[in-house]
Amino acid sequence: MGGCRIIDRIADELRPVVSKIIIVSRDPGAAEWLPEARVIGDRHPERGSLVGLHAALAAAEDWVLAVAWDMPFVTRDLLALVRDRALAAGRAAIPEGPRGPEPMCAAYPHAAAAVAASAIAAGDLKLARFIERLGAVERIPRAEIARLGDPERLFLNVNTPADLERAERLASR
């Protein structure tokens, strides 16, 4: 995107907000993506966002600020807000995006690893149900997110060639 890999864009925004970056990937070349990042693999054979999130939660010593690596327009201000709200509340913090909660741009305590493991063991890989299982979470209203930027842009996911084309257009502005 604009000559910059999406993962580099995200890492640039994460670095001022977190002390360590962990990449969850099964790709054998992942260790070369961000030299300073720790790379871990999924702990379960199932595929899905919850499986990757569980790997990060289980590997972390404390809190995890989770960011899907297909979200090229997250900002350090957004990430700091999510982190700070979680730490102040002492529980997971999940921002509300244009289509509802954004569990892959959220902060979780290490204890959420047990909740994720239980859900995976039960065959329930839906992130929405994982959030329900957590119990009380700190919700960050969309109006608050909008003060930091357009939520449609902040939470844009690049999953298809059409999404990438749209992201390229937005990045060039």
Side-chain angles (χ1 to χ4, degrees):
M1 281 191 18
C4 184
R5 297 178 310 167
I6 293 173
I7 196 168
D8 292 324
R9 292 174 72 99
I10 295 167
D12 287 347
E13 298 303 313
L14 270 171
R15 284 185 190 101
V17 180
V18 299
S19 60
K20 297 179 211 167
I21 295 177
I22 297 173
I23 297 173
V24 179
S25 176
R26 293 179 180 178
D27 188 307
E32 297 173 24
W33 297 347
L34 296 172
E36 80 276 15
R38 176 178 170 204
V39 177
I40 60 172
D42 295 329
R43 293 178 170 222
H44 299 276
E46 297 88 351
R47 295 228 180 238
S49 297
L50 183 58
V51 174
L53 180 57
H54 172 259
L57 289 165
E61 298 163 9
D62 201 356
W63 288 83
V64 168
L65 179 58
V67 182
W69 35 319
D70 63 354
M71 300 178 100
F73 299 115
V74 294
T75 64
R76 64 192 68 187
D77 291 339
L78 171 64
L79 298 171
L81 171 68
V82 172
R83 177 204 60 202
D84 294 347
R85 290 291 289 276
L87 294 175
R91 60 182 179 244
I94 303 169
E96 295 287 334
R99 288 158 291 289
E102 292 287 347
M104 291 310 295
C105 183
Y108 300 95
H110 173 71
V115 178
S118 174
I120 293 166
D124 188 359
L125 302 180
K126 297 283 186 192
L127 284 171
R129 286 197 290 275
F130 164 69
I131 300 305
E132 289 171 10
R133 287 175 181 231
L134 288 175
V137 299
E138 182 73 10
R139 303 269 181 181
I140 306 172
R142 186 174 173 195
E144 191 171 344
I145 300 299
R147 285 186 237 142
L148 302 176
D150 178 4
E152 285 283 344
R153 180 183 171 106
L154 290 169
F155 297 116
L156 176 73
N157 288 95
V158 176
N159 296 313
T160 67
D163 294 339
L164 180 58
E165 186 178 307
R166 179 174 177 224
E168 290 279 5
R169 282 194 311 272
L170 288 170
S172 68
R173 290 185 193 159

